[in-house]
Amino acid sequence: MPDTNMERERHNPQVLVDTENLTREEWLDWRRRGIGGSDVSAIIGISPFRTARDIYYDKLGIAAVEEDEGNWVAMEMGHLLEDLVAKIFERRTGLDIYQIKKMFRHPLYPFMLADVDYFITMPDGTKAILEIKTTNYNAKDLWWKDGRETVPAYYEAQGRHYMAVMDIDRVFFCCLYGNTEDETIIREIHRDMAYEEEMVFLEQEFWDSHVQKQVPPPYLEDGDVILASARQYCGRADKNAETVVLNGAMPSTLKRYMQLQEQKKQSDTYSKKLEADIQRLKAIMAAEMGTSCKAVCDMGGNHYTVTYNPVRKPIIGKDNLVRLKLLHPEIYEEFVTMLEFRTFHVKVSSVDAA
């Protein structure tokens, strides 16, 4: 339900910088000076792609999260199609949209930044925000939950962050998933002050306790997300690296991991939640080990040795295989084996058509 408490104190966002003529690197540098909308889902722990530590590394200039996207083609397509999707939104809704190429910040929480795709002039004269998204056909189902229209949680957090910074009460999302005007999803959410209050608290905690003090936030996400983050920032395994001593919170993590492993052995049924908890704890310890392949821990009268050894197989990736064929066709023909398989399919048609 939209928030109707209009007695709350309104504010005007401050302009941090004009973005129209900024280079990509300059834009990234300005964005590192605070928390942007795309950072929020990771900070509050609901991103399926990034950890809070990824955002932490980005703000300290160690690695830009924008450069950490595996599917750079999808990112480029999103940028290239932005104007087209905005035009589709205008045609489908009849609403007037416009851009303000500036980066804004919240006057009370200056670490909260907003670089909004588009603004909307509503029929009643009020403003709304428009966020442009693109996805593939299979991922369109994320815009429904239990048969009801919804906004994916990580996009919702972004929209609510922008509403807080800009002091605007409505956000529209327009997501293109196909090749036609009809293959777009339009959603609208209204401001929720309870959500916003908790979000601002978590953002401030992240900014003050971690970024400003240069203390990495703990890994609390799903195991695969943690491992992806750890692999990126820790580097490859080093068998000559020193043995890590698990201390601080790590003994408790190891203890819980052992308990869940025992619970798994004793259980007759598969538990998705149990497996996810085990993988998350394993990932936390693996991240703590960094490049080291061995860790030790003394706990409860026992000595634990944890190993995390690499298994390496020589492979040729698809990109390098294409390069090999182009640059050294004779070697390609000599060493590359062509696998053959057949597909079985039955097509039905009428006798007359045959």
Side-chain angles (χ1 to χ4, degrees), residues 305-322:
T305 300
V306 181
T307 57
Y308 189 40
N309 294 316
V311 177
R312 292 170 178 160
K313 296 180 181 179
I315 63 169
I316 300 178
K318 288 193 297 184
D319 290 344
N320 284 331
L321 200 60
V322 171

Side-chain angles (χ1 to χ4, degrees), residues 26-252:
E26 289 171 336
W27 181 83
L28 287 171
D29 182 63
W30 279 102
R31 198 188 66 166
R32 291 189 184 104
R33 304 184 189 195
I35 296 171
S38 60
D39 301 328
V40 180
S41 63
I43 290 172
I44 66 177
I46 59 172
S47 172
F49 313 113
R50 300 171 180 165
T51 68
R53 194 171 295 192
D54 292 329
I55 307 302
Y56 168 81
Y57 286 138
D58 176 70
K59 300 311 172 187
L60 294 185
I62 297 172
V65 291
E66 290 293 330
E67 298 171 0
D68 180 34
E69 299 291 346
N71 192 353
W72 65 270
V73 174
M75 287 185 62
E76 285 298 316
M77 287 297 294
H79 292 311
L80 292 171
L81 292 173
E82 186 173 296
D83 291 342
L84 171 63
V85 181
K87 186 175 181 180
I88 291 173
F89 177 84
E90 276 193 307
R91 286 170 58 94
R92 290 193 59 186
T93 65
L95 296 172
D96 294 324
I97 67 172
Y98 61 97
Q99 288 184 302
I100 301 178
K101 295 189 176 182
K102 300 180 188 296
M103 188 178 294
F104 297 91
R105 68 180 176 188
H106 198 295
L108 301 179
Y109 308 103
F111 56 85
M112 294 180 67
L113 309 182
D115 195 345
V116 175
D117 290 342
Y118 289 86
F119 293 90
I120 307 170
T121 300
M122 301 301 294
D124 62 1
T126 60
K127 292 182 182 179
I129 291 170
L130 171 62
E131 277 299 298
I132 302 298
K133 304 298 177 186
T134 55
T135 191
N136 59 60
Y137 193 86
N138 294 327
K140 74 180 190 300
D141 293 337
L142 296 174
W143 294 83
W144 280 267
K145 185 176 181 180
D146 299 327
R148 300 181 62 182
E149 294 184 353
T150 189
V151 175
Y154 44 94
Y155 288 152
E156 179 186 358
Q158 181 180 16
R160 296 199 181 283
H161 173 91
Y162 288 154
M163 282 191 280
V165 175
M166 303 306 300
D167 199 12
I168 291 176
D169 297 330
R170 302 166 79 177
V171 170
F172 289 83
F173 295 86
C174 186
C175 179
L176 175 69
Y177 64 86
N179 299 321
T180 69
E181 181 178 336
D182 291 334
E183 293 175 309
T184 52
I185 296 165
I186 296 176
R187 299 284 187 266
E188 177 186 5
I189 60 174
H190 292 257
R191 204 161 176 184
D192 181 331
M193 299 309 294
Y195 183 115
E196 187 172 309
E197 183 178 354
E198 183 175 0
M199 177 187 69
V200 173
F201 173 82
L202 293 173
E203 288 188 39
Q204 186 162 32
E205 174 70 14
F206 172 81
W207 190 257
D208 293 344
S209 299
H210 298 291
V211 177
Q212 294 298 301
K213 295 182 179 179
Q214 297 192 16
V215 176
Y219 280 122
L220 300 173
E221 297 80 9
D222 290 341
D224 55 346
V225 182
I226 296 173
L227 284 177
S229 175
R231 278 195 295 267
Q232 179 186 355
Y233 300 116
C234 296
R236 295 168 64 88
D238 180 2
K239 290 188 175 181
N240 297 317
E242 293 185 2
T243 298
V244 172
V245 177
L246 297 179
N247 49 33
M250 288 300 109
S252 296

